[in-house]
Amino acid sequence: MKVAVVGAGAIGAYVGAALCRAGVEVHLLARGPHLAALRAHGVRVLSPRGDFAAHPHATDDPAEIGPVDHVLLGVKANAYAAAGPLVTPLLHERTTLIAAQNGIPWWYFHRLAGPYEGTRLESVDPGGAVTAALPLERAVGCVVYAATEISAPGVVQHLEGTRFSIGEPAGGVSPRCTEFADAMVAGGLKCPVEPDLRDDIWIKLMGNIAFNPLSALTRATMAGICRHPGTRTLVATMMEETLEVAARVGAKPEISVQKRLAGAERTGEHKTSTLQDLERGRPMELDVLLAAVVEIADLTGAEVPTLRVVSALADLLNQEIAAA
């Protein structure tokens, strides 16, 4: 099996190293000092579960890699529309695109039975640019429950979690998902193939939709947001509105708001990826986390007044970052 990781950052390099350890032919697409370190020394993973190193091929040119069986997309979702030149050289007739992203994916309504099947969300797939770059029939979803960070070029600090749930847009368990999942497990990761991944998407999104924008607006950690009575109540309200939107499109995430809050609080003084992007002056990945859910609310008639207010504030902040 041959796998390419497009965007071999903290998550991508971690998965690539695990697959390499399982004997998979792995190719990492990266750039800058991180790429130089990957070429010179491979990937070093520092983890409470045990440190290890792997030496996959690393490059900034997908033409060096050629067609592969699976492409893991490790870039942020707001970079998907421009990913075509990186992905196209990696494709053969059966190549799978495994999207390890937060939020609502561009494929969400693809083959979703019901009145919204085939709907394209402008906030997620503006003008159809993502679908043009990443064909829907190749898509496999991936919900990431691992926390990692790049502690130095070529060095991944694994903080917690090893679960990468995957699933087909049409549901069920496919041979291509099973093949990839078996390799992930052989590399020491958890990779359940979910018959309906959309429920997992909403469970994770319940946290992302609230904590990510609020952390950027307040500069607070997840535990700090939970400790403050006002923001804790705000998070709960945002989660409740999110569950209402999920129900309108047929999803049934089996988790309570209080359980989701407790899980976030246990994370401790953790800065969300959105806050980290803000501190580095990078665009925040909020369209797929927040604007998309507001767009689905418009589509389904759900009332989401709190999500609308936070979305407007976060969008203005993102515009200020872009203009700086």
Side-chain angles (χ1 to χ4, degrees):
M1 190 170 79
K2 185 176 179 182
V3 174
V5 178
V6 175
I11 287 294
Y14 177 58
V15 171
L19 289 173
C20 194
R21 187 164 60 165
V24 174
E25 180 185 341
V26 177
H27 302 265
L28 306 181
L29 271 172
R31 59 187 181 183
H34 186 53
L35 172 59
L38 293 173
R39 282 172 162 165
H41 307 294
V43 183
R44 288 182 57 215
V45 175
L46 309 179
S47 171
R49 303 174 71 243
D51 300 347
F52 69 96
H55 298 272
H57 171 241
T59 180
D60 58 0
D61 181 4
E64 283 186 17
I65 300 170
V68 301
D69 300 306
H70 303 281
V71 174
L72 180 76
L73 297 170
V75 296
K76 293 288 184 73
N78 53 11
Y80 280 6
L86 294 176
V87 170
T88 300
L90 305 173
L91 303 180
H92 60 55
E93 63 274 11
R94 295 183 306 279
T95 303
T96 303
L97 301 177
I98 300 170
Q101 70 159 99
N102 288 324
I104 302 295
W106 85 102
W107 57 261
Y108 189 89
F109 291 102
H110 176 56
R111 303 191 68 181
L112 175 63
Y116 305 111
E117 183 174 4
T119 297
R120 179 181 61 81
L121 297 176
E122 185 65 22
S123 54
V124 171
D125 187 8
V130 176
T131 297
L134 309 172
L136 289 168
E137 66 274 8
R138 296 183 180 275
V140 163
C142 178
V143 179
V144 178
Y145 293 96
T148 58
E149 61 184 25
I150 298 292
S151 57
V155 181
V156 176
Q157 180 71 54
H158 172 232
L159 304 174
E160 62 177 357
T162 60
R163 181 179 163 197
F164 294 77
S165 298
I166 63 173
E168 291 282 353
V173 178
S174 67
R176 63 182 184 175
C177 282
T178 301
E179 177 186 60
F180 185 78
D182 288 347
M184 293 279 278
V185 171
L189 304 178
K190 297 177 182 177
C191 191
V193 181
E194 300 292 349
D196 190 350
L197 190 70
R198 290 178 179 85
D199 290 345
D200 277 58
I201 287 171
W202 287 101
I203 288 172
K204 186 167 186 190
L205 182 55
M206 283 173 67
N208 289 146
I209 200 170
F211 288 102
N212 287 54
L214 291 180
S215 68
L217 292 166
T218 64
R219 310 305 199 270
T221 63
M222 291 176 69
I225 292 169
C226 288
R227 282 194 300 268
H228 187 276
T231 51
R232 188 183 185 92
T233 299
L234 180 58
V235 167
T237 301
M238 294 176 73
M239 288 184 176
E240 288 163 0
E241 291 182 3
T242 301
L243 285 174
E244 173 62 22
V245 176
R248 297 288 183 105
V249 291
K252 299 175 182 177
E254 295 182 358
I255 191 168
S256 70
V257 167
Q258 290 308 314
K259 185 174 180 180
R260 194 67 183 83
L261 263 170
E265 192 166 17
R266 285 195 300 272
T267 305
E269 306 305 328
H270 172 66
K271 292 182 178 182
T272 70
S273 59
T274 303
L275 177 54
Q276 292 178 48
D277 285 342
L278 175 67
E279 291 178 340
R280 293 166 183 161
R282 298 174 180 171
M284 298 183 294
E285 185 188 37
L286 292 176
D287 286 344
V288 296
L289 298 181
L290 186 50
V293 177
V294 173
E295 188 174 348
I296 297 173
D298 290 338
L299 182 69
T300 61
E303 296 292 331
V304 291
T306 309
L307 294 180
R308 291 186 191 281
V309 170
V310 175
S311 182
L313 294 172
D315 185 58
L316 177 58
L317 177 58
N318 226 5
Q319 288 183 25
E320 294 295 319
I321 294 170

